[in-house]
Amino acid sequence: IIFLYYNVHMKPILLTETIKNEQMLDEWLNDHLFSKKQRHLLKMEKRIRVNHQIITHNIHLFKDDLLEINCAKEEQDDLEPIDLDLEILYEDDIVLVVNKPIHMIVHEDGNHPITLDQAVAGYFQKTDQICPIRHIHRLDKDTSGCILYCKQSYLQPYFDHAIKTKQIQRTYLAIVQGKINQAMTINKSIGKDRHANRFRISSNGIKAITHLKPLTYKKNKTLIECQLETGRTHQIRVHLAGINHPLIGDELYGTASPYRCMLHSYSLSFIHPLTHKKIKVICEMPKDMRLCMES
């Protein structure tokens, strides 16, 4: 079992484990998703101890050896912080989950003056936390809801692996045109549209699977729940347009509307890398989507 010792300002963090099976140190680090670069830095900076002795090279670990890794050293990214009133949905000294506002991009693209990464940097500055800015996934500009950040760079590979292997579950709420009567699974590959800056269903594309469940039907609009089994760019938008139920407000794949694209990241769940407990975060449906369903 790995134990964690820390405080809210990211001061000493110590990972400790009593070795259960004989193996090489690099093998243990690799199994716990430390990158080659991270393994090298930990050794060179003398932040690995075995039985209280500093280790700077790959050694054989024996059963009942005490392995200690000091992961405390972090540097703030060179990112201009912006002070915004972010809604914090969940936080501990390893992860941060925020509600991404609509009309805001997650990271810099050269065309927008404010990003969610900058807002998170501002939050860390305001709360005296020295943390890297590491978003684990993204949302489109007009999509609101849960975004997960990793506050400890040595644990980012864990979350990247969890995303890749579908161990992070994401559930969305969406409002679509027309009536969807029953739950369904859309299993249609998605590829880049060569003739426009968008994506499309394509037999030559990348596998994409979306599970849908209708929740409420009013005034020719259906509120649905969407669960992603894969995470392709614009996946929900492309799949819904492909069954002739485009998102309300999705001008790229549907029709013009006074509403923004009616898509919201409602819940996010993952296994915490250190406590091994399941964390589930909920972000309630925003006001503009409630008003849309009533109009």
Side-chain angles (χ1 to χ4, degrees):
I1 299 173
I2 300 178
F3 297 91
L4 173 69
Y5 304 91
Y6 57 81
N7 68 21
V8 294
H9 298 306
M10 296 301 289
K11 297 203 175 145
I13 293 180
L14 185 66
L15 307 184
T16 74
E17 183 169 2
T18 301
I19 301 302
K20 299 175 183 62
N21 299 297
E22 290 188 21
Q23 61 186 134
M24 299 301 292
L25 173 61
D26 279 353
E27 184 182 358
W28 186 96
L29 292 169
N30 185 63
D31 288 345
H32 287 75
L33 303 175
F34 286 83
S35 69
K36 184 176 180 180
K37 179 180 178 181
Q38 289 174 335
R39 298 198 299 266
H40 174 74
L41 288 175
L42 286 171
K43 294 171 189 173
M44 293 303 98
E45 294 171 359
K46 300 180 178 180
R47 292 196 278 135
I48 301 178
R49 291 176 181 263
V50 175
N51 299 326
H52 308 297
Q53 299 297 314
I54 293 174
I55 302 299
T56 59
H57 59 283
N58 189 24
I59 67 167
H60 197 105
L61 299 175
F62 295 92
K63 187 176 183 299
D64 296 328
D65 278 350
L66 178 64
L67 174 63
E68 301 172 300
I69 302 176
N70 181 352
C71 293
K73 185 178 180 181
E74 290 288 356
E75 296 181 1
Q76 189 79 44
D77 289 307
D78 184 19
L79 189 67
E80 180 184 358
I82 294 177
D83 186 10
L84 292 180
D85 188 19
L86 279 180
E87 181 183 359
I88 307 302
L89 302 171
Y90 176 83
E91 182 177 17
D92 60 29
D93 284 333
I94 298 301
V95 297
L96 172 74
V97 183
V98 302
N99 178 10
K100 187 190 86 64
I102 60 172
H103 309 313
M104 182 181 288
I105 62 172
V106 174
H107 62 92
E108 180 57 52
D109 67 352
N111 299 315
H112 297 83
I114 297 176
T115 69
L116 184 64
D117 283 354
Q118 289 176 294
V120 169
Y123 171 74
F124 286 155
Q125 183 182 75
K126 186 165 52 178
T127 53
D128 298 322
Q129 299 186 70
I130 300 175
C131 306
I133 312 300
R134 299 285 187 272
H135 57 263
I136 301 303
H137 58 108
R138 292 173 291 178
L139 294 175
D140 293 337
K141 178 183 174 183
D142 285 343
T143 303
S144 54
C146 300
I147 287 276
L148 173 65
Y149 282 81
C150 177
K151 297 162 68 174
Q152 170 52 252
S153 60
Y154 281 96
L155 292 172
Q156 183 182 349
Y158 170 87
F159 288 103
D160 291 340
H161 178 74
I163 281 280
K164 184 177 180 180
T165 56
K166 307 177 184 65
Q167 296 178 57
I168 295 179
Q169 297 177 334
R170 292 170 287 167
T171 301
Y172 292 77
L173 295 177
I175 303 176
V176 302
Q177 295 177 17
K179 186 173 186 178
I180 295 180
N181 293 310
Q182 59 185 7
M184 67 180 74
T185 294
I186 304 175
N187 186 350
K188 295 184 178 181
S189 298
I190 292 176
K192 190 77 170 63
D193 190 329
R194 291 178 296 174
H195 306 292
N197 187 26
R198 50 185 269 168
F199 293 83
R200 64 186 181 88
I201 291 174
S202 168
S203 58
N204 296 321
I206 302 174
K207 182 178 181 179
I209 301 175
T210 306
H211 305 286
L212 308 180
K213 183 172 72 173
L215 301 176
T216 306
Y217 174 73
K218 286 184 179 180
K219 302 176 182 179
N220 203 36
K221 297 187 289 284
T222 307
L223 173 66
I224 64 172
E225 179 183 281
C226 307
Q227 199 159 42
L228 295 178
E229 190 168 319
T230 56
R232 311 304 173 210
T233 302
H234 294 182
Q235 178 174 318
I236 292 175
R237 299 167 65 184
V238 173
H239 272 173
L240 289 171
I243 61 170
N244 298 316
H245 291 286
L247 287 167
I248 300 291
D250 189 350
E251 298 186 8
L252 185 60
Y253 298 102
T255 57
S257 168
Y259 293 99
R260 56 103 174 182
C261 192
M262 292 282 99
L263 184 62
H264 175 70
S265 178
Y266 171 72
S267 74
L268 179 77
S269 63
F270 57 92
I271 302 299
H272 198 283
L274 300 173
T275 66
H276 304 296
K277 294 181 179 178
K278 184 174 182 177
I279 305 294
K280 184 172 183 178
V281 183
I282 299 292
C283 185
E284 296 297 340
M285 188 168 70
K287 182 179 180 180
D288 65 339
M289 290 184 69
R290 296 196 302 270
L291 291 175
C292 178
M293 281 302 296
E294 297 299 327
S295 66

